Amino acid sequence: MGRFKFEDDHRYLMPAHFGGMKYVTTNTIYRDVTNLVVQYRTERDAIEPFVPEALEITDPILTVAFVMNREVEWMAGGVYNLVAVNVPVRFDGKVDHVAGGFSLVVWENKVTPILPGREATGIPKLGATIEDARHLGRLWMAEAAYEGNTFLQLSLAEGDEVPAQAIEQMNRVSQETDWLGWRYIPNVSGPGAALNHATTFPQGSRIRSARACTGTIEWKALTWQQAPTQAHITSALAAMPVLEMTAAFVTRGESILLGDKARELR
Amino acid sequence: MGRFKFEDDHRYLMPAHFGGMKYVTTNTIYRDVTNLVVQYRTERDAIEPFVPEALEITDPILTVAFVMNREVEWMAGGVYNLVAVNVPVRFDGKVDHVAGGFSLVVWENKVTPILPGREATGIPKLGATIEDARHLGRLWMAEAAYEGNTFLQLSLAEGDEVPAQAIEQMNRVSQETDWLGWRYIPNVSGPGAALNHATTFPQGSRIRSARACTGTIEWKALTWQQAPTQAHITSALAAMPVLEMTAAFVTRGESILLGDKARELR
Amino acid sequence: MGRFKFEDDHRYLMPAHFGGMKYVTTNTIYRDVTNLVVQYRTERDAIEPFVPEALEITDPILTVAFVMNREVEWMAGGVYNLVAVNVPVRFDGKVDHVAGGFSLVVWENKVTPILPGREATGIPKLGATIEDARHLGRLWMAEAAYEGNTFLQLSLAEGDEVPAQAIEQMNRVSQETDWLGWRYIPNVSGPGAALNHATTFPQGSRIRSARACTGTIEWKALTWQQAPTQAHITSALAAMPVLEMTAAFVTRGESILLGDKARELR
Amino acid sequence: MGRFKFEDDHRYLMPAHFGGMKYVTTNTIYRDVTNLVVQYRTERDAIEPFVPEALEITDPILTVAFVMNREVEWMAGGVYNLVAVNVPVRFDGKVDHVAGGFSLVVWENKVTPILPGREATGIPKLGATIEDARHLGRLWMAEAAYEGNTFLQLSLAEGDEVPAQAIEQMNRVSQETDWLGWRYIPNVSGPGAALNHATTFPQGSRIRSARACTGTIEWKALTWQQAPTQAHITSALAAMPVLEMTAAFVTRGESILLGDKARELR
């Protein structure tokens, strides 16, 4: 017989049978993070069909973050880029009462960070082509594409530097923020779920510099033929009207993923 | 509140809240598949530490398949490449008695097919750079790398065409083969598993042409600094001695993923 | 002093000082080529500004070929994809009188074949993201993008198989076709050219199977911010109206690049 | 006839017929450059066969620079990575007397900067897979690969920060440095050269911060089957013994490509 035994005090990811790690901590630091953020108000009616019933949308505002992660410790100091789309929600369960950004979807340009994000914490990460943003003078430009099909275009024009005092204030608030997900693992056979529950994966950040910006964003609905597993997602986002740009900014600093505080919400 | 409701008769993958599909079938056809296969005998002792206790290794033979999948129906006719490493096992549980190849690990060069393979069927797929194999006269050459670090080199020299009658015989056998996996989904907080069980994901194939080959294979153990989440896997495989090449062949044909017959093994 | 000497009977590409090859032949075979072709009539006035004065446009028809090259001998049996845009022209010089397709532009998804194409034969190859085309039933779909920005979308719906006799006829015609380029190498300092002349790079093909198709094509003009060195090219092509689709077809077969017959046109 | 005319005061790159730019300047700034540099002494005899006779090697020291270029102005603020290998030489011609680093070879991970580098200035740029370097604490790690085949591994361990005064001194020296190349463009037909001459492409840099390091480097000789157009280059470099590491450092700052001062050397 095989001789691989699962250890109760270990943490594994597939393939588990090559061995896991004794559980100590899952906190991890990203030492060099550039965050391009655009926020806009849309219609509540346009978002609600895509948010589970257990969550209350506190404000119909979408936050789209284009993030360049560098010096990622758990990836041996490596890099990856992502696009995250959040909407602010409240979860009031039997046990947990939590407010934070609900992760509608995340696209990442590498496989490695996608897997634990989905499986361990319910963050709905997908793959896409996401080159580094271009930075020309005060202009930032960025895109995301699925196999040659552009579905997102972003730009930010930098304004003034945020003063140090305001950054200190931002850092006090951002020491720990709830980031809500929804972990869904299907049954192997037939319809229905093996796991189906809300999660939170708290995040911290230490901003070193920031600039207020003016931003633009454009979603493009892909067809099934262009992106068979993502067309419906790009279509849903493209159909949410941009009523008003409410904020845009660029920050540089450090992120801390507080995996130790991640938990199933009940 | 959000208005997204999970439907009992649907099948979802994260992000589930953008909608799933009414469950009809999960069988799917790959119309154009080139399969470069190398098999070799290694030491039983070298494999057993990496096979769960519930599985019996029936023969200490590793099968490494380098596969170019084209005309993949569920991906709108798209393509992807993979490297799969299997060892033959038996599972004798309370309910199920199954023999087939156990998927030690699979590397794929696109994110899209990795996600359902892991989450729905327990096939331990990871990401890698896998270019199309080169085909020069009768020689095939292929590599797999993790972010610029080569960890696998394969070559096959084609011999004679397999006669039609022998292919017919192969096709009778390969109509349905069990492919065993092990689905492991960790708890969100702390060590331990939310899901932890054997699976089978039966596959069929219809070979159109085949050639016997002589093959070579070389694994390279990567360091944690080169491949933080995969170093231990490449090291384990590189440490399994190649005692004898037992077979090598190239086939071209069609694959049928029999998702309807996938199930948890008990 | 350095000891590298240029040999008169050798052929070099930069870096030349690592050595070249004694000139024997530059013919080379591509053993497995899939060619998706769309042809359309546009306005003569829209093309003429982009064709050098020495060339006469014989018909204002653009041919766009999306080509998947496999088993490329000079690349050790490797693969690459390209998009080529041609217009039929005549060159009547003092010495040469040649008719063929003039290469307005070619995009390729690998660097290796771009370099000799430009430098040795004046074919204006550029880089782009060009995934394998998707093939779903009788539909082909393909795109080209520059760093996440789609600039070309193609589709072809396959009709009937071309009969063997017609393919024989095609193969007689396609044994040697002139493919005209224009080699331009700038001065190192200041404006003006070090080399500036028409070329031909004859090509042969042996088609094994073909299907008539109905095709669609859409060019998208990129901005300087999206594609600083290619925006003007995509804009020029996007501005050429599609007056009538004149042909579309898919072929599979072999290509022979007749480098030995390539020459400067005078 | 075509209506495209070459303008004498313009500068073009293929495809020239889509238009060039009135020549004003070809200087360009790279605003954010991270430079990982390793220098080592090798045997003069091992280098000389790969340096043209017109150049005198002043010191048998190879400088390998792994460079992450960001905020590249002429690429609309985009990014690319490169590996450059230089050896210090003197050129004493009839007109020009120049000392600087001779560019043995450069690998870049994007096509766009490769083309003008080769064609306009004779810098022998090739394509490779070059991910961003990983930065973990004080350790930098980087690789270069050709289609899945690693040919270079670098690491640098950071020591102390270079003091501001020393950086000022470095910046005085590095305002303009000759970077020598050798432009070779073959004849279209037959052996021999259409262009064959030494060049210089002066570079400036403004370092903002620097650290002395200890470095390691390993070249791997690829085979023709792995890298048909680059095997001989990797083999030549792998055969140059590392007699002594003479320096290693990391700098961050700005580069200025002094295209206006580039010229053919006579």
Side-chain angles (χ1 to χ4, degrees):
Chain A
M1 304 301 285
R3 291 189 274 123
F4 174 75
K5 291 170 81 145
F6 291 92
E7 305 289 341
D8 288 346
D9 59 353
H10 276 46
R11 194 177 173 84
Y12 301 89
L13 277 179
M14 290 178 267
H17 43 270
F18 281 98
M21 302 280 283
K22 185 158 177 173
Y23 183 82
V24 186
T25 177
T26 51
N27 287 356
T28 185
I29 299 191
Y30 289 37
R31 298 256 173 227
D32 179 8
V33 175
T34 302
N35 214 349
L36 310 179
V37 179
V38 166
Q39 286 183 333
Y40 56 97
R41 183 175 303 281
T42 185
E43 280 165 16
R44 186 177 291 269
D45 261 13
I47 309 180
E48 279 182 355
F50 305 107
V51 172
E53 291 180 312
L55 304 174
E56 184 192 1
I57 298 169
T58 52
D59 213 356
I61 284 182
L62 292 178
T63 299
V64 178
F66 182 102
V67 185
M68 291 182 282
N69 291 307
R70 294 172 184 155
E71 307 195 22
V72 176
E73 291 204 340
W74 72 276
M75 288 170 68
V79 309
Y80 68 100
N81 296 335
L82 65 81
V83 173
V85 185
N86 293 335
V87 60
V89 299
R90 276 199 63 77
F91 175 86
D92 284 301
K94 288 176 184 160
V95 174
D96 293 290
H97 302 274
V98 172
F102 174 61
S103 176
L104 285 167
V105 62
V106 177
W107 283 277
E108 298 190 342
N109 71 338
K110 291 200 178 164
V111 179
T112 298
I114 288 176
L115 306 182
R118 292 176 65 91
E119 296 169 17
T121 52
I123 301 299
K125 298 177 170 192
L126 300 171
T129 303
I130 308 173
E131 297 260 352
D132 281 5
R134 297 184 298 290
H135 191 196
L136 184 68
R138 296 201 151 199
L139 184 62
W140 288 94
M141 296 157 284
E143 297 84 20
Y146 184 81
E147 299 199 358
N149 293 287
T150 316
F151 63 83
L152 174 65
Q153 287 184 297
L154 272 177
S155 79
L156 288 91
E158 294 178 341
D160 291 342
E161 190 85 43
V162 175
Q165 212 177 337
I167 287 183
E168 264 177 57
Q169 175 57 25
M170 289 163 79
N171 281 335
R172 271 193 294 276
V173 173
S174 69
Q175 276 179 4
E176 185 181 333
T177 322
D178 278 290
W179 192 24
L180 282 79
W182 197 283
R183 187 162 74 159
Y184 184 98
I185 300 287
N187 287 327
V188 179
S189 42
L195 296 174
N196 189 6
H197 59 80
T199 61
T200 181
F201 183 13
Q203 313 275 315
S205 73
R206 284 194 287 269
I207 298 168
R208 285 189 291 260
S209 69
R211 280 181 185 276
C213 297
T214 54
T216 69
I217 186 167
E218 193 178 343
W219 292 99
K220 187 171 164 7
L222 299 182
T223 64
W224 183 88
Q225 279 84 353
Q226 293 174 312
T229 61
Q230 302 190 8
H232 63 300
I233 301 169
T234 57
S235 300
L237 292 168
M240 297 181 194
V242 180
L243 300 180
E244 178 197 4
M245 299 301 291
T246 53
F249 50 89
V250 177
T251 66
R252 302 209 190 193
E254 210 166 81
S255 293
I256 307 99
L257 277 53
L258 302 165
D260 287 358
K261 298 194 170 171
R263 66 189 191 281
E264 183 178 335
L265 293 179
R266 282 174 296 181
Chain B
M1 303 303 285
R3 289 190 273 123
F4 174 75
K5 291 171 82 147
F6 290 92
E7 305 290 341
D8 289 346
D9 59 352
H10 275 46
R11 195 178 173 83
Y12 300 89
L13 277 180
M14 290 179 268
H17 42 271
F18 281 99
M21 302 279 285
K22 184 158 179 174
Y23 182 81
V24 186
T25 178
T26 51
N27 288 355
T28 184
I29 299 190
Y30 290 39
R31 297 255 172 229
D32 178 7
V33 175
T34 302
N35 215 349
L36 310 179
V37 179
V38 167
Q39 285 183 333
Y40 56 99
R41 184 175 302 281
T42 186
E43 282 166 13
R44 186 177 291 270
D45 261 13
I47 309 180
E48 280 182 355
F50 305 107
V51 172
E53 291 181 311
L55 304 174
E56 185 192 359
I57 298 170
T58 51
D59 213 357
I61 284 182
L62 292 178
T63 299
V64 178
F66 183 102
V67 186
M68 291 182 281
N69 291 308
R70 295 173 184 152
E71 307 195 23
V72 177
E73 290 204 339
W74 72 277
M75 289 170 67
V79 309
Y80 68 100
N81 296 336
L82 65 82
V83 173
V85 184
N86 292 337
V87 60
V89 299
R90 276 200 63 79
F91 174 87
D92 283 300
K94 289 179 184 159
V95 175
D96 293 290
H97 302 273
V98 172
F102 174 60
S103 176
L104 284 168
V105 62
V106 177
W107 283 277
E108 298 189 341
N109 70 339
K110 290 201 178 164
V111 179
T112 297
I114 288 177
L115 306 182
R118 291 176 65 92
E119 296 170 15
T121 53
I123 301 299
K125 298 177 172 192
L126 300 171
T129 303
I130 308 173
E131 296 262 350
D132 282 5
R134 298 184 297 291
H135 192 196
L136 184 68
R138 294 199 152 201
L139 185 62
W140 288 93
M141 296 157 284
E143 295 86 20
Y146 184 79
E147 299 199 0
N149 293 288
T150 316
F151 62 83
L152 174 64
Q153 286 183 297
L154 272 178
S155 78
L156 288 91
E158 294 178 341
D160 291 343
E161 190 85 43
V162 175
Q165 212 176 337
I167 287 183
E168 263 176 57
Q169 175 56 24
M170 290 162 78
N171 281 337
R172 271 192 294 275
V173 174
S174 70
Q175 276 179 6
E176 185 181 335
T177 320
D178 277 291
W179 193 25
L180 281 78
W182 197 285
R183 187 161 74 159
Y184 184 97
I185 300 286
N187 286 327
V188 180
S189 42
L195 296 174
N196 189 6
H197 58 80
T199 61
T200 182
F201 182 14
Q203 312 275 314
S205 74
R206 285 195 286 270
I207 297 168
R208 286 189 290 260
S209 70
R211 280 180 185 275
C213 297
T214 53
T216 70
I217 185 165
E218 193 178 344
W219 292 100
K220 187 170 165 2
L222 300 182
T223 63
W224 182 87
Q225 279 82 355
Q226 291 173 314
T229 60
Q230 302 190 9
H232 63 302
I233 302 170
T234 58
S235 300
L237 292 169
M240 296 180 193
V242 180
L243 300 181
E244 178 197 3
M245 300 301 292
T246 53
F249 51 88
V250 177
T251 66
R252 300 208 191 196
E254 209 166 79
S255 294
I256 309 98
L257 278 53
L258 302 166
D260 286 359
K261 298 194 168 172
R263 66 191 192 281
E264 183 177 337
L265 292 179
R266 282 175 294 180
Chain C
M1 303 304 284
R3 291 190 274 123
F4 175 75
K5 289 170 83 149
F6 291 92
E7 306 289 342
D8 288 346
D9 59 353
H10 275 47
R11 196 179 172 82
Y12 300 89
L13 277 180
M14 289 177 272
H17 43 272
F18 282 99
M21 302 279 283
K22 185 159 177 172
Y23 182 81
V24 186
T25 177
T26 51
N27 287 356
T28 186
I29 299 191
Y30 289 38
R31 297 252 175 232
D32 178 7
V33 175
T34 302
N35 214 348
L36 310 179
V37 178
V38 167
Q39 285 183 333
Y40 56 98
R41 184 176 302 281
T42 185
E43 281 165 14
R44 186 177 290 269
D45 259 12
I47 309 180
E48 280 182 354
F50 305 107
V51 172
E53 290 180 312
L55 304 174
E56 184 192 359
I57 299 170
T58 51
D59 213 357
I61 284 182
L62 292 177
T63 299
V64 178
F66 183 103
V67 185
M68 292 182 282
N69 290 309
R70 293 171 185 156
E71 308 195 21
V72 177
E73 291 204 339
W74 73 277
M75 289 169 68
V79 309
Y80 69 99
N81 296 335
L82 66 82
V83 173
V85 185
N86 292 336
V87 60
V89 299
R90 275 199 64 79
F91 174 87
D92 283 301
K94 289 178 184 161
V95 175
D96 294 290
H97 301 273
V98 172
F102 173 61
S103 176
L104 285 167
V105 62
V106 177
W107 283 276
E108 298 190 342
N109 71 338
K110 291 200 177 165
V111 179
T112 297
I114 288 177
L115 305 183
R118 292 176 65 92
E119 296 170 16
T121 51
I123 302 298
K125 299 177 171 192
L126 300 171
T129 304
I130 308 174
E131 298 260 351
D132 282 5
R134 298 185 297 289
H135 192 196
L136 184 67
R138 296 199 150 200
L139 184 62
W140 287 94
M141 296 157 284
E143 296 86 19
Y146 184 80
E147 299 200 358
N149 293 288
T150 315
F151 63 82
L152 175 64
Q153 287 183 297
L154 273 177
S155 78
L156 287 91
E158 295 177 340
D160 290 343
E161 190 85 42
V162 175
Q165 210 177 339
I167 287 183
E168 263 175 59
Q169 175 57 24
M170 290 163 79
N171 281 337
R172 271 193 294 274
V173 174
S174 69
Q175 276 180 4
E176 185 181 334
T177 321
D178 277 291
W179 192 24
L180 282 80
W182 197 285
R183 186 161 75 159
Y184 184 98
I185 300 286
N187 286 326
V188 180
S189 42
L195 296 174
N196 189 7
H197 59 80
T199 61
T200 182
F201 184 12
Q203 313 275 315
S205 74
R206 287 194 285 270
I207 297 169
R208 286 189 291 262
S209 69
R211 280 181 186 277
C213 297
T214 54
T216 69
I217 186 166
E218 192 177 344
W219 292 99
K220 187 172 164 2
L222 300 182
T223 64
W224 183 87
Q225 280 83 356
Q226 292 173 314
T229 61
Q230 302 190 8
H232 63 301
I233 302 169
T234 58
S235 299
L237 292 168
M240 296 179 194
V242 180
L243 299 180
E244 178 197 3
M245 299 301 291
T246 53
F249 50 90
V250 178
T251 66
R252 301 209 191 194
E254 211 164 80
S255 293
I256 308 98
L257 277 53
L258 302 166
D260 286 358
K261 299 193 170 172
R263 67 189 191 281
E264 184 178 333
L265 293 178
R266 282 174 292 178
Chain D
M1 303 302 284
R3 290 190 275 122
F4 174 74
K5 291 171 80 146
F6 291 92
E7 305 289 340
D8 288 345
D9 59 352
H10 276 45
R11 195 178 173 83
Y12 301 88
L13 278 179
M14 289 178 271
H17 43 269
F18 282 99
M21 302 279 284
K22 184 158 177 175
Y23 182 81
V24 185
T25 179
T26 50
N27 287 355
T28 184
I29 299 190
Y30 290 39
R31 297 252 174 232
D32 178 7
V33 175
T34 303
N35 215 349
L36 310 179
V37 179
V38 167
Q39 285 182 335
Y40 56 98
R41 184 174 303 281
T42 185
E43 282 165 14
R44 187 177 290 269
D45 260 13
I47 308 180
E48 279 182 355
F50 305 108
V51 172
E53 291 180 311
L55 304 174
E56 183 192 0
I57 298 170
T58 51
D59 213 356
I61 284 183
L62 293 177
T63 299
V64 179
F66 183 103
V67 186
M68 292 182 281
N69 291 309
R70 294 171 184 154
E71 307 195 23
V72 176
E73 291 204 340
W74 72 278
M75 290 169 68
V79 309
Y80 69 101
N81 296 335
L82 65 83
V83 173
V85 184
N86 292 337
V87 61
V89 299
R90 275 199 63 78
F91 174 88
D92 283 301
K94 289 178 184 160
V95 175
D96 293 289
H97 301 273
V98 172
F102 174 59
S103 176
L104 285 168
V105 62
V106 177
W107 283 277
E108 298 190 341
N109 71 338
K110 290 201 177 165
V111 179
T112 298
I114 288 177
L115 305 182
R118 292 176 65 91
E119 296 169 17
T121 53
I123 302 298
K125 300 178 170 191
L126 300 171
T129 304
I130 308 173
E131 297 260 352
D132 281 6
R134 298 184 296 291
H135 192 196
L136 184 67
R138 295 200 152 200
L139 185 63
W140 288 95
M141 295 157 285
E143 296 86 20
Y146 185 79
E147 299 199 359
N149 294 287
T150 315
F151 62 83
L152 175 64
Q153 286 184 296
L154 272 178
S155 79
L156 287 92
E158 295 177 340
D160 291 342
E161 189 85 44
V162 175
Q165 212 177 338
I167 287 182
E168 263 175 58
Q169 175 58 23
M170 291 162 78
N171 281 335
R172 270 193 295 274
V173 174
S174 69
Q175 276 179 6
E176 185 180 334
T177 321
D178 278 290
W179 192 25
L180 282 79
W182 198 284
R183 187 162 73 160
Y184 184 98
I185 300 286
N187 286 327
V188 179
S189 41
L195 296 174
N196 189 9
H197 59 80
T199 61
T200 182
F201 183 13
Q203 313 274 314
S205 74
R206 284 194 286 269
I207 297 168
R208 285 188 292 260
S209 69
R211 279 179 186 277
C213 297
T214 55
T216 70
I217 186 165
E218 193 178 343
W219 292 100
K220 187 171 165 3
L222 300 182
T223 64
W224 183 87
Q225 279 83 356
Q226 291 173 313
T229 61
Q230 303 190 8
H232 63 302
I233 302 169
T234 58
S235 300
L237 292 168
M240 297 181 193
V242 179
L243 300 181
E244 179 198 2
M245 299 301 291
T246 53
F249 50 89
V250 177
T251 65
R252 302 209 191 195
E254 211 164 80
S255 293
I256 308 97
L257 277 53
L258 302 166
D260 286 358
K261 298 192 170 173
R263 67 189 189 282
E264 183 178 336
L265 293 179
R266 283 175 292 181

